[in-house]
Amino acid sequence: MWRFLRTTEPLNANEADATIEMDIGEDLEHSLARAINGIVRELGLPRPDAERVGAALAKVRGYTPAHTTSSKKPGTKAKATPRYFGLLAEIDLVEVLETHISRREEGEGGRLHEFWDALKKNKRIARQPHVTIVHGKQLPDKLSLWECCSALYALPTPPLFRARLGHVVGDERVMAVTIEELRVDDPEEDEGQEGSTFLSMLDPELRGQLHITVGTKDASVPPFEAAALVESFKKGEKGLNDIRLEDVYVRGRIKGLNS
């Protein structure tokens, strides 16, 4: 792949009627959305609905090249290199947030109620809620944090963490829940201090950005927009819809993720 990228040459004027510029650094969802937008624009084809796009993404994620299994023992699966590490949240977002959003008085939280209903109707609620800690795109700058997460992931029983859910925040494109007071769930079980060491590596800036992405309007909206949304909310930006959660907590362990 890298050899191809290094030796690639620009197209001649007569080789193509139109091109779609891709970014190798983008995630799968964003890349697919870029390709769809370009094809719809250039060929005038109808835009596929969110359900068809989601099905295509699921099929791609389920694909395994034949050469990755040829040398493996029957019944075993390869452990792919993670794209990022995150706190895999042990939570049913629909069950937890439905109670808190639906009981609010009319007008409270702005239009979050409408967006929440749309996310449920269109099945856009995150199926694997998690709190992103460090992404492969941040290497080598965040190498120490990456290695710490990798070590936790490799433990037979990684430490269990606990955090409070602060606010549900949303605009017309993405909804997220802020993460507050992240700590080791039971300090007595953190005998090797692995959990405490991990927490000490989270600087205030990163802690302020921690969140769970609840869902996006459709497949054209990349989930990482939630990070900017939370950052804007923490800075007090006006015009964002939010609902404060009371006494809602979540637990989870560090996992290597690829979705």
Side-chain angles (χ1 to χ4, degrees), residues 45-169:
L45 296 176
R47 183 179 297 276
D49 58 32
E51 184 175 351
R52 293 181 65 188
V53 173
L57 286 170
K59 189 171 183 179
V60 170
R61 290 195 176 101
Y63 170 74
T64 302
H67 72 272
T68 63
T69 59
S70 59
S71 61
K72 295 178 60 58
K73 295 180 180 180
T76 61
K77 294 179 66 176
K79 193 171 184 178
T81 300
R83 291 177 56 239
Y84 61 99
F85 285 99
L87 192 72
L88 195 59
E90 299 174 358
I91 187 173
D92 184 328
L93 286 176
V94 175
E95 180 180 353
V96 172
L97 297 185
E98 175 67 20
T99 301
H100 290 80
I101 294 178
S102 62
R103 75 182 184 188
R104 302 293 173 168
E105 296 181 3
E106 185 175 353
E108 187 177 358
R111 302 184 65 179
L112 273 183
H113 301 77
E114 297 176 21
F115 192 21
W116 172 248
D117 289 340
L119 291 177
K120 291 187 297 179
K121 179 181 178 181
N122 298 322
K123 299 180 179 180
R124 297 294 303 167
I125 307 295
R127 291 175 294 177
Q128 191 182 53
H130 62 274
V131 182
T132 298
I133 300 298
V134 61
H135 200 287
K137 296 178 183 178
Q138 296 174 288
L139 298 176
D141 293 343
K142 298 291 184 178
L143 181 59
S144 295
L145 181 57
W146 179 275
E147 291 179 339
C148 180
C149 289
S150 182
L152 289 179
Y153 183 41
L155 291 174
T157 305
L160 185 65
F161 296 95
R162 183 174 187 261
R164 180 173 62 82
L165 303 186
H167 289 77
V168 183
V169 188

Side-chain angles (χ1 to χ4, degrees), residues 185-202:
D185 184 57
D186 187 348
E188 293 185 1
E189 294 185 0
D190 189 29
E191 296 179 359
Q193 297 295 301
E194 294 92 346
S196 299
T197 299
F198 163 74
L199 292 175
S200 70
M201 301 183 71
L202 305 182

